[in-house]
């Protein structure tokens, strides 16, 4: 009987070697925590950068799971593999790298666009995969920000919540909102495990924000965006709004988020004032 390791074992040994060759600072992580018993990155750190579970990555490294081409692509980014190392990893996995192609863009349906426009006095927006902000109305722009001023790859609710000081300050209980958004993004990662844009988003946020890095590692998940939101708006003041989401019947990866207030409350009056202020301001940018 041959003692040669199988392809999965060889790939696992290669991943382990590349992990040992990296330091936390090489991938933007803080390595000043507890003492390290092994050189290089920990398994949980690689799993975090690759937006996969620690158990899944451990089984890959131990040669107990075959790796798909999509998984190799994600790990190549997480482990900072150069071109030769990437080619070697694909060869060990017995896979062919996918030809570079532009990711399929999500399109907001005409019916969803009409609904946004008809909710002019109510903040509403359409969220897609990865919680990308696909479309919004004037009310959402007035409440949050003019999403059009951000490049498309950063027109993302979670990204703005962690990186934009104004969006962060808008949330009266920012930590609760950010934890919920992180848990929702975790659910997105489970729904789309091979999404390279989601892996890039998670990697960039992990490097930039210690809170996100910590909460992402907790593996909390949630799939609902309903509930009560508490905002402190610089124009409209304190707003306590009901948040409801509905999934598009044409695309289950699109959902519309609508914020409302009980008539007769200060928050209802604040939304009316915000709508009036938005009507006098320049028209916000719109996605094509």
């Amino acid at each position: 009987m041959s003692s040669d390791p199988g392809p999965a074992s060889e790939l696992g040994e290669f991943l382990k070697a590349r992990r040992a060759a990296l330091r936390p600072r090489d991938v933007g992580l803080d390595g000043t925590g507890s003492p390290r018993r092994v050189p290089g990155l920990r398994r949980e750190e690689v799993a975090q950068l690759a937006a996969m579970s620690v158990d899944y990555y451990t089984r890959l490294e131990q040669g107990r799971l075959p790796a798909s081409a999509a998984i190799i692509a994600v790990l190549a980014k997480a482990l900072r593999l150069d071109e030769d190392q990437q080619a070697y990893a694909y060869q060990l996995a017995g896979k062919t790298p996918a030809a570079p192609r532009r990711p399929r863009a999500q399109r907001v349906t005409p019916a969803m666009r009409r609904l946004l426009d008809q909710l002019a006095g109510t903040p509403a927006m359409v969220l897609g995969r990865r919680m990308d902000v696909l479309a919004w109305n004037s009310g959402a722009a007035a409440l949050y920000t003019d999403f059009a001023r951000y490049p498309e790859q950063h027109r993302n609710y979670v990204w703005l919540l962690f990186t934009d000081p104004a969006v962060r300050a808008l949330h009266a209980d920012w930590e609760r909102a950010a934890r919920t958004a992180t848990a929702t993004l975790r659910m997105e990662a489970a729904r789309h495990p091979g999404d390279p844009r989601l892996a890039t988003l998670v990697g960039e946020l992990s490097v930039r924000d210690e809170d996100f890095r910590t909460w992402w590692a907790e593996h909390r998940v949630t799939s609902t965006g309903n509930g009560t939101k508490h905002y402190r708006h610089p124009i409209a003041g304190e707003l306590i709004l009901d948040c409801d989401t509905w999934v598009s019947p044409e695309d289950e990866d699109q959902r519309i988020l609508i914020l409302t207030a009980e008539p007769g409350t200060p928050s209802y009056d604040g939304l009316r004032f915000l709508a009036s202020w938005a009507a006098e301001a320049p028209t916000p940018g719109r996605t094509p």
Side-chain angles (χ1 to χ4, degrees), residues 44 47-48 51-56 182-183 186-187 212-222:
E44 55 265 31
Q48 171 187 309
M52 63 180 61
S53 72
V54 178
D55 177 68
Y56 187 86
T182 303
R186 258 292 177 193
M187 184 64 77
F212 178 86
R213 188 162 61 245
T214 299
W215 298 335
W216 183 260
E218 292 176 354
H219 288 263
R220 290 180 61 247
V221 295
T222 184

Side-chain angles (χ1 to χ4, degrees), residues 35-253:
R36 293 174 178 265
R37 294 178 296 175
V38 295
L41 299 180
R42 298 185 175 106
R43 283 173 175 166
E44 55 265 31
E45 291 170 332
V46 177
Q48 171 187 309
L49 292 169
M52 63 180 61
S53 72
V54 178
D55 177 68
Y56 187 86
Y57 175 75
T58 298
R59 287 191 284 170
L60 284 172
E61 196 173 277
Q62 292 176 344
R64 294 190 288 141
L65 274 182
S68 66
I71 290 297
I72 294 297
V74 170
L75 289 174
K77 290 184 178 181
L79 293 170
R80 306 299 195 263
L81 302 186
D82 61 29
E83 290 186 8
D84 290 338
Q85 291 167 338
Q86 290 183 46
Y88 181 63
Y90 279 110
Q91 186 176 18
L92 289 178
K95 303 298 180 182
T96 302
R101 60 186 179 87
R102 188 172 182 175
R104 181 177 62 87
Q106 287 185 288
R107 302 293 182 186
V108 177
T109 64
M112 193 77 83
R113 169 60 66 189
R114 287 194 299 271
L115 179 58
L116 283 178
D117 291 340
Q118 290 169 13
L119 292 170
T122 301
M125 58 185 174
V126 178
L127 300 178
R129 291 188 298 269
R130 303 171 293 271
M131 299 179 73
D132 290 339
V133 180
L134 302 179
W136 59 93
N137 64 5
S138 59
L143 177 63
Y144 287 101
T145 184
D146 181 5
F147 298 103
R149 64 190 181 92
Y150 298 91
E152 185 176 351
Q153 68 270 23
H154 289 158
R155 201 177 295 156
N156 176 277
Y157 180 78
V158 187
W159 175 268
L160 296 176
L161 193 58
F162 278 93
T163 65
D164 188 294
V167 175
R168 180 187 286 247
L170 173 68
H171 293 78
D173 189 349
W174 176 85
E175 180 174 336
R176 179 186 176 190
R179 280 179 174 270
T180 300
T182 303
T184 304
L185 194 63
R186 258 292 177 193
M187 184 64 77
E188 287 289 305
R191 286 168 52 86
H192 305 286
D195 186 345
R197 285 188 59 184
L198 192 148
T200 298
L201 173 66
V202 170
E204 290 180 349
L205 284 174
S206 297
V207 169
R208 291 176 62 109
D209 194 280
E210 183 179 358
D211 286 329
F212 178 86
R213 188 162 61 245
T214 299
W215 298 335
W216 183 260
E218 292 176 354
H219 288 263
R220 290 180 61 247
V221 295
T222 184
S223 60
T224 178
N226 298 339
T228 301
K229 307 288 187 181
H230 187 184
Y231 301 104
R232 290 195 180 103
H233 195 273
I235 301 296
E238 296 276 340
L239 296 172
I240 299 177
L241 306 178
D242 292 324
C243 175
D244 293 282
T245 60
W246 286 273
V247 176
S248 167
E250 289 85 7
D251 183 352
E252 64 178 8
D253 287 331

